[in-house]
């Protein structure tokens, strides 16, 4: 048992978007594909999103090129590379 005080952790929700525009970056962004967004408040203030693109790295793109989506838990787990827990009836 640890005697250190527990730090309050604030977990930021992972969000996902669908690409609806990829002008000039067809190799980096596929239209109609779901991408993971990394939190970046500075980018958001500038109207951009930090997106993990086809290179596997995160880059800034105009936020207007994407539409936010809610995905089912199983899809979310798959996108994050985590095994989904199956629910028994």
């Amino acid at each position: 048992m640890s005697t250190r005080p527990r730090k309050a952790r604030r977990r930021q929700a992972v969000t996902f978007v669908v690409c609806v525009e990829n002008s000039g970056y067809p190799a980096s962004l596929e239209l109609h594909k779901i991408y993971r967004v990394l939190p970046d408040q500075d980018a958001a203030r500038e109207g951009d999103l930090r997106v993990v693109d086809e290179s596997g790295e995160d880059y800034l793109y105009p936020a207007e090129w994407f539409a936010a989506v809610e995905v089912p838990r199983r899809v979310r787990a798959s996108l994050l590379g985590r095994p989904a827990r199956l629910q028994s009836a």
Side-chain angles (χ1 to χ4, degrees), residues 62-74:
E64 64 193 29
W65 288 9
F66 304 92
V69 294
E70 289 286 329
V71 295
R73 189 168 65 187
R74 288 184 63 202

Side-chain angles (χ1 to χ4, degrees), residues 14-83:
V14 175
T15 58
F16 296 97
V17 292
V18 171
C19 177
V20 296
E21 174 64 52
N22 65 352
S23 299
Y25 298 93
S28 300
L29 297 171
E30 292 183 28
L31 287 175
H32 313 125
K33 185 173 179 179
I34 297 173
Y35 290 95
R36 181 179 176 187
V37 176
L38 300 179
D40 187 330
Q41 293 180 351
D42 291 334
R45 278 192 287 272
E46 298 293 324
D48 295 324
L49 289 177
R50 183 167 297 282
V51 174
V52 179
D53 69 10
E54 295 301 317
S55 72
E57 300 291 327
D58 57 286
Y59 290 97
L60 297 177
Y61 293 99
E64 64 193 29
W65 288 9
F66 304 92
V69 294
E70 289 286 329
V71 295
R73 189 168 65 187
R74 288 184 63 202
V75 173
R76 178 184 197 81
S78 176
L79 290 169
L80 294 174
R82 299 177 187 157

